[in-house]
């Protein structure tokens, strides 16, 4: 049992590496401002949208939700 726990802990350490996002460069910001955006959903909920041309990501609004 101990060997299985050690193996699972080893797998978890391998899989949970922290990803540090990089800061956008001036060219990326300029491209996002001048792009003619075409947003498509990123996930199945449709709440997160990304531009297909430049990759600009925005949080969308649920169309079925009544305000």
């Amino acid at each position: 049992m101990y060997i299985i726990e050690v193996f699972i802990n080893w797998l978890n350490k391998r899989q949970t590496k922290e990803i540090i996002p990089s800061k956008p460069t001036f060219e990326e910001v300029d491209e996002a401002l001048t792009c003619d955006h075409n947003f498509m959903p990123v996930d199945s909920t449709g709440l997160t949208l990304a531009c297909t041309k430049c990759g600009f990501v925005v949080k969308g609004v649920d169309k079925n939700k009544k305000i």
Side-chain angles (χ1 to χ4, degrees):
M1 191 68 180
Y2 175 74
I3 295 172
I4 295 172
E5 290 177 14
V6 170
F7 181 70
I8 291 174
N9 287 336
W10 177 75
L11 282 177
N12 286 338
K13 286 181 183 178
R14 281 187 63 207
Q15 293 175 356
T16 57
K17 293 187 178 181
E18 185 177 339
I19 299 173
I20 301 172
S22 62
K23 292 184 180 180
T25 62
F26 178 73
E27 291 82 18
E28 292 173 344
V29 173
D30 188 40
E31 182 182 349
L33 293 175
T34 60
C35 179
D36 184 27
H37 296 296
N38 182 19
F39 289 107
M40 297 289 290
V42 175
D43 56 355
S44 62
T45 62
L47 295 177
T48 305
L49 306 173
C51 178
T52 58
K53 298 176 184 175
C54 68
F56 183 65
V57 179
V58 295
K59 184 172 182 175
V61 178
D62 188 7
K63 296 177 183 175
N64 298 330
K65 185 177 179 182
K66 293 185 179 183
I67 299 175

